Amino acid sequence: EINEGIGVHKSPSLYGAFPTDPYSHTPAGKGAQQPGMTGQVKEDILSRFGELGVFAREGKLYFSPGLLKRDEFLEKVSAFEYVDVNFEEKKIQLEANSLCFTFCQIPIIYKITKKESLTVVFDDHTVRHYPELNLDLATSKKVILRTGEVEKIIIEINENKLR
């Protein structure tokens, strides 16, 4: 409900204007005159990361995608394009029943399975498996500082935990 306030989920006809245009009231050379829309855009982004289940506690990243809906996952194989921490354009092939987004320019891939696990793939192609959906402090730091050492994070989500 929070996410459906005055942000990206309102149509221009209902809202009376384009729902998110953070620069529409900022005259050239004067700086932000009405930062409310900029704040709304930030709220939308933060709300979405909350829905995606990305959280930090005591410097550690953890994932709890309990607000995700089953229908947000891909129905068929698809390509995901992004720009990595080295500003290189990349493409990942995603399977059906997966969802991908970037966090600190690192792809986070959610897959629907019968069990839960977290796998980190590093730039040297080594892999580290975690039994729970949280990262240790050192790996979390590599993600947040965008060191380029983490290539992607794959999270298997128990299908019974989706809405």
Side-chain angles (χ1 to χ4, degrees), residues 85-86 106 122-124 142-143 145-151:
V85 296
N86 298 313
I106 296 169
F122 294 90
D123 64 334
D124 63 1
K142 290 175 183 181
V143 170
L145 295 176
R146 303 175 192 223
T147 65
E149 295 170 75
V150 176
E151 185 177 306

Side-chain angles (χ1 to χ4, degrees), residues 112-129:
I112 299 173
T113 62
K114 299 216 180 284
K115 60 183 176 86
E116 286 190 344
S117 70
L118 186 148
T119 302
V120 176
V121 179
F122 294 90
D123 64 334
D124 63 1
H125 304 292
T126 59
V127 175
R128 184 176 301 151
H129 298 283

Side-chain angles (χ1 to χ4, degrees), residues 133-150:
L133 303 186
N134 54 340
L135 296 175
D136 59 83
L137 186 60
T139 305
S140 295
K141 202 171 192 178
K142 290 175 183 181
V143 170
I144 292 166
L145 295 176
R146 303 175 192 223
T147 65
E149 295 170 75
V150 176

Side-chain angles (χ1 to χ4, degrees), residues 23-62:
Y23 306 107
S24 64
H25 303 292
T26 304
K30 285 195 132 186
Q33 299 299 299
Q34 290 187 4
M37 284 307 294
T38 303
Q40 181 61 44
V41 171
K42 287 177 188 172
E43 272 187 38
D44 288 341
I45 291 169
L46 292 173
S47 293
R48 186 60 181 153
F49 275 119
E51 289 175 348
L52 290 168
V54 181
F55 301 98
R57 185 181 303 133
E58 297 177 3
K60 297 178 186 176
L61 291 174
Y62 68 97

Side-chain angles (χ1 to χ4, degrees), residues 4-163:
E4 293 181 15
I6 63 169
V8 296
H9 301 285
K10 297 285 186 185
S11 70
S13 61
L14 182 61
Y15 187 67
F18 291 102
T20 52
D21 185 2
Y23 306 107
S24 64
H25 303 292
T26 304
K30 285 195 132 186
Q33 299 299 299
Q34 290 187 4
M37 284 307 294
T38 303
Q40 181 61 44
V41 171
K42 287 177 188 172
E43 272 187 38
D44 288 341
I45 291 169
L46 292 173
S47 293
R48 186 60 181 153
F49 275 119
E51 289 175 348
L52 290 168
V54 181
F55 301 98
R57 185 181 303 133
E58 297 177 3
K60 297 178 186 176
L61 291 174
Y62 68 97
F63 302 88
S64 180
L67 294 176
L68 278 180
K69 297 176 186 170
R70 175 69 177 89
D71 64 3
E72 293 189 73
F73 287 76
L74 294 171
E75 293 181 10
K76 59 183 180 180
V77 174
S78 183
F80 178 76
E81 297 178 19
Y82 68 101
V83 177
D84 72 4
V85 296
N86 298 313
F87 304 103
E88 294 179 17
E89 293 181 13
K90 302 276 183 139
K91 186 186 288 191
I92 297 175
Q93 281 298 115
L94 298 174
E95 304 169 6
N97 295 316
S98 67
L99 175 150
C100 186
F101 60 96
T102 59
F103 181 78
C104 294
Q105 291 178 269
I106 296 169
I108 310 294
I109 302 167
Y110 284 159
K111 293 181 178 183
I112 299 173
T113 62
K114 299 216 180 284
K115 60 183 176 86
E116 286 190 344
S117 70
L118 186 148
T119 302
V120 176
V121 179
F122 294 90
D123 64 334
D124 63 1
H125 304 292
T126 59
V127 175
R128 184 176 301 151
H129 298 283
Y130 296 80
E132 296 180 2
L133 303 186
N134 54 340
L135 296 175
D136 59 83
L137 186 60
T139 305
S140 295
K141 202 171 192 178
K142 290 175 183 181
V143 170
I144 292 166
L145 295 176
R146 303 175 192 223
T147 65
E149 295 170 75
V150 176
E151 185 177 306
K152 63 185 168 186
I153 299 172
I154 302 164
I155 300 166
E156 294 184 353
I157 303 169
N158 184 316
E159 62 189 342
N160 296 324
K161 292 199 174 180
L162 297 173
R163 298 183 329 152

